[in-house]
Amino acid sequence: MKAFAYYSPTTPEDAVKALAGPGTVEALSGGTDLISRMKDYVTSPEKVVYLKDVKALAGVEEKLDGQVVIGAGTRLADLIADPLVRQRYQALRQATVEVGTPQIRNMATIGGNLLQRPRCWFFRNGFGLLGTKDGKSLVREGDNRYHAIFLTEGDALFVNPSSLAVPLIALNASATITGPGGARTIPVEQLYRVPRTNEERELTLAPGELLTHVTIPAAGKNGMYEVRQKQAHDWPLVMTSVNLKMNGDAVADCRVVLYGVAPIPWRSATAEAAIKGGPVTRDRATAAAKAAIEGAKPLSMNGYKLALVQTTVKRALLDAVGDRYWQEG
């Protein structure tokens, strides 16, 4: 890899100063994404800022108003073990359990998961974020079996790689970002955008900004379900996470968020509309699942994701209310 300057701050303030300095800069926490990109020369920063020594960025804390604050530097293994997460945010915990291997979960952090770069093999092989060559999309004309099925009119055809963003968005979590100009708080979904050129990034953090923590409000009934190609260490093909606010047996409000289908975590307004106003029965969950694929435009090799979306939406909704029929017998 290319030589770089190395900084190891111990406070968030010093981390922001290091990140805001001149030249190309990358933040390093667990390193499960950045190191491989640097070895492959996909990313060649002039400066690397190591964040693991910033102890203030780690930990899970309950506030007086009942919200739970999770530091961006919290290891995934610690998130899984935390009793607050276990008791209140089953979908987030289960999505975290499914990340990588025990070795990866002992290194990776929640901030690193949220801010990792796309796993698109065209991007990882040096063809830019949009996967183009000579002005043509290699993705659209090539092997696109793991790419997007929504928002496919443009050239950004990769899928957002963060599996933890999906339950956090379903839980209506917010992200706090600190930079040279101070702190700002945004919904987690606003961490992401659809780039229009290879020069734009898919993340909304400005140079010098540091994700410090995420805050999760009280949850309703939450559930998740994913489908992957193999049960061993792998990324999901499609995953759905849901959060339901109930009025008796009826769904008063909800969030249905999908992974693996768009260049941003995809919130399905059609599935939400289909499940609101009534109970979560198997028939109504099936109807919501069918609604979830409205507007999808698969590429040449990934039409199979339409069936996976329907399966994961139906099962995530039923998981939230405790009906795990697929485990029966």
Side-chain angles (χ1 to χ4, degrees):
M1 64 178 68
K2 179 183 174 181
F4 56 88
Y6 180 81
Y7 292 77
S8 183
T10 57
T11 67
E13 294 76 17
D14 287 343
V16 168
K17 290 178 183 177
L19 290 167
T24 56
V25 186
E26 291 284 348
L28 170 66
S29 190
T32 55
D33 178 27
L34 178 61
I35 298 300
S36 61
R37 282 191 282 117
M38 291 174 66
K39 286 181 177 180
D40 292 336
Y41 291 89
V42 175
T43 301
S44 296
E46 296 170 296
K47 182 167 62 174
V48 171
V49 180
Y50 182 61
L51 300 176
K52 274 292 182 70
D53 290 334
V54 186
K55 303 304 181 185
L57 294 180
V60 181
E61 179 185 5
E62 182 180 16
K63 296 297 185 181
L64 292 177
D65 60 3
Q67 296 190 104
V68 174
V69 178
I70 303 173
T74 304
R75 297 183 312 150
L76 301 191
D78 295 331
L79 192 67
I80 293 167
D82 188 85
L84 283 173
V85 175
R86 181 187 296 270
Q87 293 165 11
R88 301 184 187 180
Y89 308 119
Q90 296 88 350
L92 174 61
R93 184 181 185 276
Q94 186 58 38
T96 308
V97 168
E98 300 291 348
V99 173
T101 63
Q103 294 90 340
I104 290 174
R105 294 191 292 272
N106 275 301
M107 289 294 294
T109 63
I110 187 169
N113 184 282
L114 289 173
L115 301 178
Q116 64 185 296
R117 305 300 304 279
R119 301 288 170 172
C120 166
W121 42 40
F122 297 101
F123 170 58
R124 297 280 170 156
N125 280 283
F127 293 103
L129 189 57
L130 303 186
T132 56
K133 183 179 180 182
D134 299 329
K136 293 184 178 180
S137 173
L138 297 174
V139 182
R140 198 175 294 279
E141 298 179 0
D143 190 341
N144 51 45
R145 67 187 114 151
Y146 300 129
H147 288 75
I149 61 173
F150 290 99
L151 302 178
T152 55
E153 296 84 359
D155 291 326
L157 300 172
F158 60 86
V159 296
N160 181 275
S162 176
S163 53
L164 299 192
V166 173
L168 286 171
I169 293 170
L171 291 165
N172 199 23
S174 60
T176 298
I177 300 159
T178 300
R184 61 189 178 98
T185 298
I186 60 174
V188 167
E189 55 259 48
Q190 291 183 17
L191 289 171
Y192 310 104
R193 64 185 175 192
V194 181
R196 294 167 296 178
T197 69
N198 279 318
E199 286 67 44
E200 288 185 351
R201 285 178 66 113
E202 76 286 3
L203 303 169
T204 61
L205 269 68
E209 288 193 319
L210 172 69
L211 173 63
T212 58
H213 58 272
V214 296
T215 302
I216 314 176
K221 294 180 180 294
N222 56 99
M224 64 82 66
Y225 193 85
E226 69 168 39
V227 175
R228 58 176 64 194
Q229 193 160 332
K230 58 181 185 290
Q231 289 304 308
H233 165 43
D234 202 3
W235 285 270
L237 293 171
V238 176
M239 179 176 77
T240 298
S241 186
V242 304
N243 186 30
L244 311 176
K245 302 290 186 181
M246 306 298 290
N247 182 8
D249 291 333
V251 177
D253 198 10
C254 66
R255 285 178 169 236
V256 178
V257 187
L258 282 76
Y259 167 99
V261 299
I264 55 176
W266 182 253
R267 187 171 171 189
S268 178
T270 51
E272 293 172 0
I275 201 65
K276 284 181 185 178
V280 182
T281 62
R282 294 183 187 181
D283 286 344
R284 297 191 80 248
T286 299
K290 291 180 179 178
I293 62 172
E294 292 179 15
K297 295 181 179 179
L299 303 174
S300 60
M301 299 177 66
N302 65 1
Y304 70 92
K305 285 191 177 184
L306 296 174
L308 299 190
V309 166
Q310 293 181 76
T311 297
T312 60
V313 169
K314 177 180 179 179
R315 293 188 179 186
L317 287 167
L318 293 170
D319 177 60
V321 297
D323 180 5
R324 299 175 182 88
Y325 69 89
W326 56 93
Q327 297 177 349
E328 295 175 357

